[in-house]
Amino acid sequence: MISRRDLLMAGAALAAVVTLRGLLWPMRAVAGDTFEITRTDAEWRALLGEDRYRILREEGTEPPFSSPLDDEKRNGLFQCAGCALPVYSSEAKYDSGTGWPSFWQALPGAIGTREDDTLFMTRTECHCRRCGGHLGHIFDDGPPPTGKRHCINGLALSFVPETA
């Protein structure tokens, strides 16, 4: 059984690696990527604030278990925090136990993907198809029906509850 101390130490180590990764390997523009919504870095910073800017524009990662959206249980839509495009439905949300909001699928046509080979491994990065904001990564260890786990930064999202 893992002790609380070991879990906290692992979380601190992960946060340090993620922070270092963001400083050493900032968001890479992929040739041919064009998005409907574009802004200057200064405009993005003013719109998003430093924490969201780091996640959405520099491919940062928030610490695990830090987002209130991980525990969000209401029906509604999760939107890109950069441009308000609906990207995930609460119907596809589940508790992966990883500490980040997780979904087994995105809304149709909402995200784009590309290979991410940072952190000494190859992963599938996902981003908002409209503004290019980094959302998180997709893994092959999710539940049916897709078997996918979209592990998404809570700071990359805003939640809009369903109205009656």
Side-chain angles (χ1 to χ4, degrees):
M1 180 170 206
I2 197 165
S3 71
R4 183 176 180 190
R5 181 177 183 266
D6 290 341
L7 183 63
L8 290 173
M9 294 292 287
L14 176 63
V17 167
V18 164
T19 300
L20 182 60
R21 183 246 175 245
L23 294 173
L24 296 178
W25 300 288
M27 186 172 191
R28 328 163 299 296
V30 175
D33 274 357
T34 57
F35 300 101
E36 293 171 41
I37 295 177
T38 58
R39 293 183 167 84
T40 66
D41 281 342
E43 290 170 332
W44 280 120
R45 277 186 198 278
L47 176 71
L48 300 171
E50 287 303 313
D51 290 338
R52 281 192 158 149
Y53 178 87
R54 185 179 55 78
I55 301 294
L56 287 161
R57 308 314 306 171
E58 295 180 332
E59 292 185 355
T61 302
E62 66 195 5
F65 302 101
S66 65
S67 174
L69 294 183
D70 189 29
D71 295 322
E72 181 59 65
K73 306 284 191 241
R74 294 174 292 172
N75 291 333
L77 293 174
F78 294 84
Q79 299 179 337
C80 170
C83 70
L85 177 72
V87 287
Y88 292 96
S89 168
S90 61
E91 293 175 10
K93 188 174 185 294
Y94 73 101
D95 184 3
S96 66
T98 60
W100 290 279
S102 297
F103 305 86
W104 48 266
Q105 76 177 5
L107 292 170
I111 66 168
T113 62
R114 64 180 166 218
E115 189 175 285
D116 175 0
D117 58 3
T118 59
L119 291 181
F120 313 107
M121 66 182 97
T122 300
R123 303 175 292 172
T124 301
E125 182 265 348
C126 63
H127 56 270
C128 173
R129 68 114 179 119
R130 185 161 63 183
C131 73
H134 170 74
L135 301 173
H137 291 87
I138 302 172
F139 301 95
D140 291 324
D141 59 359
T146 64
K148 301 292 184 185
R149 172 173 52 97
H150 294 232
C151 191
I152 307 300
N153 289 290
L155 283 172
L157 303 172
S158 59
F159 179 70
V160 178
E162 189 177 274
T163 56

